[in-house]
Amino acid sequence: MEMHEVTPEERRRFYSEEWNKRELPDFILHTLSLREFGFDLDGTGPSHRYNQFMTVEQLAEYLQNRAPYSAFTSVALYEQPSMRKGWMKSELAFDIDAKDLPLRSCSCASGSVCELCIDEARRIAMEFAETMGKDLGLHNINFVYSGRGFHIRVIDDAIMTLEQTERAQIVEYITGGVIPTDVTMALGYSQVFRERLARTFEGMDEQRLSKIRGLRRSVIQKLMVEKERALGAIRSGKLDELSELEGIGPKTFRQLLEFLVRLNSEFTDGKVTIDTKRILRLPSSLHSGVSMKCMLVRDIGRFKLEDAVPKFVHERGH
Ligand SMILES: [Zn+2]
């Protein structure tokens, strides 16, 4: 799939012929005038902030006239979005960018994405959403294909008014990004922590484990030979059994755990979730860097990248 940069002419064509207000998600359409909009007009960065549109027609006119390189909208609702004042509430948002995944099975260069790693990002998004539904009782969970990965945008009333510290705790929980403390350990490792740890350990090979400082080669080999047994121990929460493998003392065990947990925390950019004034790429808009449409995904299980290819891309070179 071609994922190269669009030309200014293609941008103008997209916004005059192809952009459709019906592709704006309802959760944005119904709160449009309460959101801040940001734009990157020429590919140099989203420096045009503090925009407010009272109607969708005003937004449409702006997009058609300016054909921006990128368009963004706030996760927050404000009384005065054009001044970013009077914060009312914010979506709970997760940014899962394929280029930033700590483990990828493709051979993409740093900063690049392909169909394979975008699909890996999609599976992480589904994993996070499942936990939010099952463990946190959240149900109004929206998925957006962002161009290089996925956004999860949760709009349940229960989480919209959360403060930053509470959002940070949700990130830690969902990602398995922190080693549980002794206090919470009275009940053992939580299921979500065990699942995330197992998922990341499963992606380990000798080369990746060799990045842990001080982990002996013989121990790494042992861990890989006994990988299934180790995975079983992690999944069942009997992490102590890992220490019983030859050469893995408490110190090595802790280093391994810290390494895996740090990788866990890198599957999403926690800063995005914590920032209640963040702007995210506008679903329906063009991602000019990769020539794809940022779009609401109604059925994440069946998402196909082809659905996000703008029409002008098909007509390139004809
Ligand atoms: Zn890739």
Side-chain angles (χ1 to χ4, degrees):
M1 185 158 297
E2 297 176 60
M3 294 182 84
H4 58 73
E5 197 174 32
V6 302
T7 63
E9 175 51 31
E10 286 172 330
R11 265 153 50 196
R12 278 189 290 276
R13 231 180 112 190
F14 175 82
Y15 282 108
S16 61
E17 296 172 14
E18 205 174 326
W19 184 82
N20 190 329
K21 67 180 179 189
R22 279 193 292 274
E23 290 181 23
L24 282 172
D26 283 347
F27 70 87
I28 291 176
L29 195 59
H30 295 161
T31 52
L32 190 90
S33 65
L34 301 174
R35 292 179 188 261
E36 181 205 359
F37 284 78
F39 299 97
D40 173 355
L41 295 178
D42 52 12
T44 55
S47 49
H48 292 258
R49 299 283 303 259
Y50 297 99
N51 297 281
Q52 180 183 18
F53 299 100
M54 301 313 290
T55 65
V56 68
E57 284 72 26
Q58 283 177 4
L59 170 65
E61 198 184 318
Y62 185 98
L63 291 172
Q64 277 152 17
N65 288 339
R66 312 299 289 268
Y69 188 87
S70 303
F72 305 87
T73 184
S74 61
V75 295
L77 308 184
Y78 302 97
E79 283 161 17
Q80 296 172 282
S82 61
M83 301 173 76
R84 228 183 280 162
K85 278 188 180 158
W87 180 85
M88 298 156 73
K89 53 187 180 177
S90 293
E91 301 164 15
L92 179 70
F94 289 82
D95 181 19
I96 302 145
D97 196 326
K99 74 173 162 34
D100 299 326
L101 292 178
L103 299 172
R104 300 199 280 183
S105 52
C106 60
S107 45
C108 273
S110 146
S112 301
V113 297
C114 67
E115 285 165 79
L116 198 62
C117 54
I118 287 177
D119 197 59
E120 285 169 343
R122 183 184 68 91
R123 275 183 273 137
I124 297 294
M126 290 177 74
E127 193 178 74
F128 288 178
E130 193 193 334
T131 302
M132 283 191 271
K134 225 169 53 182
D135 295 6
L136 305 182
L138 300 172
H139 300 295
N140 214 328
I141 299 173
N142 300 279
F143 297 96
V144 172
Y145 164 65
S146 63
R148 289 197 166 106
F150 293 86
H151 294 150
I152 309 175
R153 304 179 67 156
V154 187
I155 55 170
D156 287 68
D157 280 338
I159 48 82
M160 294 280 285
T161 52
L162 293 185
E163 304 284 340
Q164 297 202 341
T165 45
E166 297 162 312
R167 289 170 195 253
Q169 287 166 1
I170 292 179
V171 179
E172 290 174 357
Y173 180 79
I174 298 291
T175 58
V178 169
I179 299 173
T181 58
D182 293 341
V183 182
T184 57
M185 278 299 293
L187 300 167
Y189 292 98
S190 73
Q191 190 188 352
V192 58
F193 183 77
R194 288 183 270 132
E195 279 173 8
R196 300 293 187 264
L197 203 62
R199 180 254 279 138
T200 299
F201 186 73
E202 202 160 20
M204 289 297 112
D205 53 23
E206 288 192 24
Q207 197 215 331
R208 281 173 174 145
L209 284 176
S210 69
K211 289 185 187 136
I212 306 178
R213 277 228 322 267
L215 197 59
R216 288 204 314 276
R217 196 169 163 74
S218 61
V219 175
I220 292 172
Q221 284 168 344
K222 182 88 182 167
L223 275 170
M224 287 300 96
V225 169
E226 302 268 16
K227 195 172 184 180
E228 282 311 309
R229 201 177 130 205
L231 274 171
I234 293 171
R235 288 206 184 94
S236 63
K238 293 172 186 147
L239 270 66
D240 301 350
E241 286 179 13
L242 286 179
S243 314
E244 288 162 24
L245 293 170
E246 204 180 325
I248 303 188
K251 188 163 160 258
T252 309
F253 171 70
R254 185 77 190 179
Q255 279 173 321
L256 174 66
L257 201 59
E258 278 168 2
F259 177 73
L260 294 174
V261 161
R262 198 181 66 239
L263 289 182
N264 276 354
S265 72
E266 291 171 359
F267 279 88
T268 187
D269 180 355
K271 290 194 296 296
V272 173
T273 309
I274 294 164
D275 183 358
T276 53
K277 297 192 169 180
R278 182 66 63 144
I279 52 173
L280 290 180
R281 198 174 285 281
L282 177 70
S284 75
S285 71
L286 183 65
H287 190 311
S288 295
V290 291
S291 296
M292 297 294 256
K293 238 173 11 175
C294 169
M295 60 179 279
L296 181 72
V297 179
R298 288 179 203 285
D299 186 350
I300 188 74
R302 294 186 184 174
F303 173 76
K304 299 266 179 302
L305 211 46
E306 294 92 89
D307 301 341
V309 179
K311 287 197 196 80
F312 70 78
V313 169
H314 293 298
E315 291 157 16
R316 267 178 186 162
H318 285 230

mmCIF file of all heavy atoms in Angstrom, residues 227-244:
data_model
loop_
_atom_site.group_PDB
_atom_site.id
_atom_site.type_symbol
_atom_site.label_atom_id
_atom_site.label_comp_id
_atom_site.label_asym_id
_atom_site.label_seq_id
_atom_site.Cartn_x
_atom_site.Cartn_y
_atom_site.Cartn_z
ATOM 1 N N LYS A 227 10.251 -21.148 27.611
ATOM 2 C CA LYS A 227 9.307 -20.047 27.388
ATOM 3 C C LYS A 227 7.857 -20.447 27.727
ATOM 4 O O LYS A 227 7.148 -19.690 28.397
ATOM 5 C CB LYS A 227 9.386 -19.587 25.936
ATOM 6 C CG LYS A 227 8.731 -18.242 25.690
ATOM 7 C CD LYS A 227 9.020 -17.768 24.271
ATOM 8 C CE LYS A 227 8.461 -16.384 24.041
ATOM 9 N NZ LYS A 227 8.722 -15.889 22.681
ATOM 10 N N GLU A 228 7.436 -21.609 27.271
ATOM 11 C CA GLU A 228 6.053 -22.030 27.520
ATOM 12 C C GLU A 228 5.775 -22.157 29.006
ATOM 13 O O GLU A 228 4.730 -21.741 29.509
ATOM 14 C CB GLU A 228 5.753 -23.346 26.797
ATOM 15 C CG GLU A 228 5.485 -23.194 25.318
ATOM 16 C CD GLU A 228 4.470 -22.086 24.990
ATOM 17 O OE1 GLU A 228 3.373 -22.084 25.597
ATOM 18 O OE2 GLU A 228 4.774 -21.214 24.152
ATOM 19 N N ARG A 229 6.756 -22.742 29.718
ATOM 20 C CA ARG A 229 6.590 -22.911 31.168
ATOM 21 C C ARG A 229 6.537 -21.534 31.847
ATOM 22 O O ARG A 229 5.709 -21.295 32.734
ATOM 23 C CB ARG A 229 7.765 -23.734 31.720
ATOM 24 C CG ARG A 229 7.442 -24.372 33.040
ATOM 25 C CD ARG A 229 8.610 -25.231 33.509
ATOM 26 N NE ARG A 229 8.950 -24.892 34.884
ATOM 27 C CZ ARG A 229 10.146 -25.080 35.415
ATOM 28 N NH1 ARG A 229 11.129 -25.596 34.709
ATOM 29 N NH2 ARG A 229 10.361 -24.750 36.670
ATOM 30 N N ALA A 230 7.420 -20.642 31.400
ATOM 31 C CA ALA A 230 7.448 -19.287 31.980
ATOM 32 C C ALA A 230 6.127 -18.564 31.709
ATOM 33 O O ALA A 230 5.569 -17.905 32.594
ATOM 34 C CB ALA A 230 8.617 -18.504 31.395
ATOM 35 N N LEU A 231 5.612 -18.706 30.485
ATOM 36 C CA LEU A 231 4.336 -18.062 30.144
ATOM 37 C C LEU A 231 3.206 -18.600 31.020
ATOM 38 O O LEU A 231 2.354 -17.843 31.492
ATOM 39 C CB LEU A 231 3.998 -18.318 28.670
ATOM 40 C CG LEU A 231 4.587 -17.340 27.656
ATOM 41 C CD1 LEU A 231 4.352 -17.836 26.237
ATOM 42 C CD2 LEU A 231 3.982 -15.950 27.830
ATOM 43 N N GLY A 232 3.239 -19.904 31.239
ATOM 44 C CA GLY A 232 2.222 -20.522 32.095
ATOM 45 C C GLY A 232 2.279 -19.954 33.507
ATOM 46 O O GLY A 232 1.246 -19.659 34.121
ATOM 47 N N ALA A 233 3.508 -19.782 33.990
ATOM 48 C CA ALA A 233 3.691 -19.239 35.345
ATOM 49 C C ALA A 233 3.165 -17.807 35.431
ATOM 50 O O ALA A 233 2.501 -17.422 36.397
ATOM 51 C CB ALA A 233 5.164 -19.287 35.730
ATOM 52 N N ILE A 234 3.431 -17.021 34.367
ATOM 53 C CA ILE A 234 2.962 -15.622 34.359
ATOM 54 C C ILE A 234 1.433 -15.590 34.301
ATOM 55 O O ILE A 234 0.789 -14.885 35.077
ATOM 56 C CB ILE A 234 3.557 -14.852 33.150
ATOM 57 C CG1 ILE A 234 5.076 -14.700 33.308
ATOM 58 C CG2 ILE A 234 2.906 -13.480 33.021
ATOM 59 C CD1 ILE A 234 5.773 -14.151 32.068
ATOM 60 N N ARG A 235 0.876 -16.379 33.398
ATOM 61 C CA ARG A 235 -0.586 -16.359 33.223
ATOM 62 C C ARG A 235 -1.314 -16.793 34.489
ATOM 63 O O ARG A 235 -2.383 -16.283 34.817
ATOM 64 C CB ARG A 235 -0.991 -17.268 32.057
ATOM 65 C CG ARG A 235 -0.619 -16.692 30.708
ATOM 66 C CD ARG A 235 -1.504 -17.206 29.589
ATOM 67 N NE ARG A 235 -1.045 -16.680 28.303
ATOM 68 C CZ ARG A 235 -0.205 -17.318 27.486
ATOM 69 N NH1 ARG A 235 0.238 -18.529 27.798
ATOM 70 N NH2 ARG A 235 0.171 -16.761 26.356
ATOM 71 N N SER A 236 -0.743 -17.751 35.215
ATOM 72 C CA SER A 236 -1.429 -18.228 36.416
ATOM 73 C C SER A 236 -1.071 -17.404 37.657
ATOM 74 O O SER A 236 -1.550 -17.681 38.752
ATOM 75 C CB SER A 236 -1.096 -19.707 36.643
ATOM 76 O OG SER A 236 0.295 -19.838 36.864
ATOM 77 N N GLY A 237 -0.234 -16.380 37.445
ATOM 78 C CA GLY A 237 0.101 -15.502 38.558
ATOM 79 C C GLY A 237 1.140 -16.073 39.504
ATOM 80 O O GLY A 237 1.453 -15.465 40.530
ATOM 81 N N LYS A 238 1.691 -17.233 39.143
ATOM 82 C CA LYS A 238 2.729 -17.831 40.011
ATOM 83 C C LYS A 238 4.102 -17.399 39.519
ATOM 84 O O LYS A 238 4.904 -18.228 39.063
ATOM 85 C CB LYS A 238 2.580 -19.356 40.005
ATOM 86 C CG LYS A 238 1.282 -19.802 40.665
ATOM 87 C CD LYS A 238 1.054 -21.283 40.488
ATOM 88 C CE LYS A 238 -0.322 -21.660 41.030
ATOM 89 N NZ LYS A 238 -0.915 -22.769 40.250
ATOM 90 N N LEU A 239 4.340 -16.096 39.619
ATOM 91 C CA LEU A 239 5.590 -15.565 39.093
ATOM 92 C C LEU A 239 6.816 -16.095 39.843
ATOM 93 O O LEU A 239 7.913 -16.102 39.306
ATOM 94 C CB LEU A 239 5.571 -14.026 39.114
ATOM 95 C CG LEU A 239 5.011 -13.392 37.838
ATOM 96 C CD1 LEU A 239 3.548 -13.687 37.635
ATOM 97 C CD2 LEU A 239 5.247 -11.895 37.816
ATOM 98 N N ASP A 240 6.579 -16.556 41.074
ATOM 99 C CA ASP A 240 7.689 -17.109 41.861
ATOM 100 C C ASP A 240 8.342 -18.282 41.134
ATOM 101 O O ASP A 240 9.537 -18.529 41.267
ATOM 102 C CB ASP A 240 7.186 -17.616 43.219
ATOM 103 C CG ASP A 240 6.536 -16.503 44.011
ATOM 104 O OD1 ASP A 240 6.658 -15.334 43.567
ATOM 105 O OD2 ASP A 240 5.903 -16.790 45.043
ATOM 106 N N GLU A 241 7.523 -18.993 40.344
ATOM 107 C CA GLU A 241 8.063 -20.159 39.640
ATOM 108 C C GLU A 241 9.160 -19.771 38.661
ATOM 109 O O GLU A 241 10.026 -20.579 38.339
ATOM 110 C CB GLU A 241 6.941 -20.908 38.898
ATOM 111 C CG GLU A 241 6.052 -21.683 39.845
ATOM 112 C CD GLU A 241 4.918 -22.420 39.122
ATOM 113 O OE1 GLU A 241 4.955 -22.526 37.886
ATOM 114 O OE2 GLU A 241 4.004 -22.876 39.837
ATOM 115 N N LEU A 242 9.110 -18.502 38.183
ATOM 116 C CA LEU A 242 10.177 -18.033 37.302
ATOM 117 C C LEU A 242 11.512 -18.026 38.029
ATOM 118 O O LEU A 242 12.549 -18.319 37.459
ATOM 119 C CB LEU A 242 9.872 -16.614 36.797
ATOM 120 C CG LEU A 242 8.792 -16.439 35.742
ATOM 121 C CD1 LEU A 242 8.642 -14.970 35.415
ATOM 122 C CD2 LEU A 242 9.143 -17.207 34.481
ATOM 123 N N SER A 243 11.449 -17.692 39.319
ATOM 124 C CA SER A 243 12.677 -17.634 40.112
ATOM 125 C C SER A 243 13.277 -19.020 40.306
ATOM 126 O O SER A 243 14.450 -19.149 40.638
ATOM 127 C CB SER A 243 12.403 -17.011 41.483
ATOM 128 O OG SER A 243 11.636 -15.853 41.332
ATOM 129 N N GLU A 244 12.437 -20.033 40.114
ATOM 130 C CA GLU A 244 12.948 -21.388 40.302
ATOM 131 C C GLU A 244 13.758 -21.870 39.100
ATOM 132 O O GLU A 244 14.464 -22.862 39.186
ATOM 133 C CB GLU A 244 11.778 -22.360 40.566
ATOM 134 C CG GLU A 244 11.170 -22.167 41.952
ATOM 135 C CD GLU A 244 9.785 -22.791 42.075
ATOM 136 O OE1 GLU A 244 9.495 -23.719 41.294
ATOM 137 O OE2 GLU A 244 9.017 -22.348 42.934
#
